[in-house]
Amino acid sequence: MSEYCLLLVEDNAAEAMLLQEAFQEACGGLFLQVCGTGDEALGWLESRLAGGLPLPDLILLDLNLPGMSGREVLTTLKN
């Protein structure tokens, strides 16, 4: 099991791939979950909570997501 868990919420596949590669090179033991939408990210977080799994140590969130914006995701997480 990896030491740290990171959630990346990014709708641009090329940017997500670049960040994945950079994090894997810098932090080999990192578990990196990539979600392309705010709804997908919230669903993934809810499933972790329901399964008793730890939440990510860090969330990198694109604020300009299609559909539910990053700001809306933040508001939902705060509530």
Side-chain angles (χ1 to χ4, degrees):
M1 184 166 187
S2 61
E3 190 173 335
Y4 295 104
C5 174
L6 181 123
L7 171 60
L8 171 62
V9 188
E10 173 59 64
D11 63 313
N12 182 305
E15 289 182 19
M17 179 73 94
L18 182 65
L19 287 167
Q20 277 182 292
E21 290 174 4
F23 276 110
Q24 292 304 328
E25 186 175 311
C27 312
L30 177 75
F31 173 76
L32 179 64
Q33 174 66 38
V34 180
C35 294
T37 67
D39 288 323
E40 183 184 350
L42 291 175
W44 183 79
L45 290 167
E46 287 173 4
S47 70
R48 293 198 56 94
L49 281 173
L53 298 170
L55 294 175
D57 298 295
L58 177 68
I59 299 174
L60 293 177
L61 176 62
D62 182 353
L63 294 179
N64 297 314
L65 295 168
M68 176 183 272
S69 74
R71 287 176 178 81
E72 291 171 314
V73 172
L74 285 174
T75 299
T76 302
L77 290 174
K78 284 182 181 180
N79 294 332

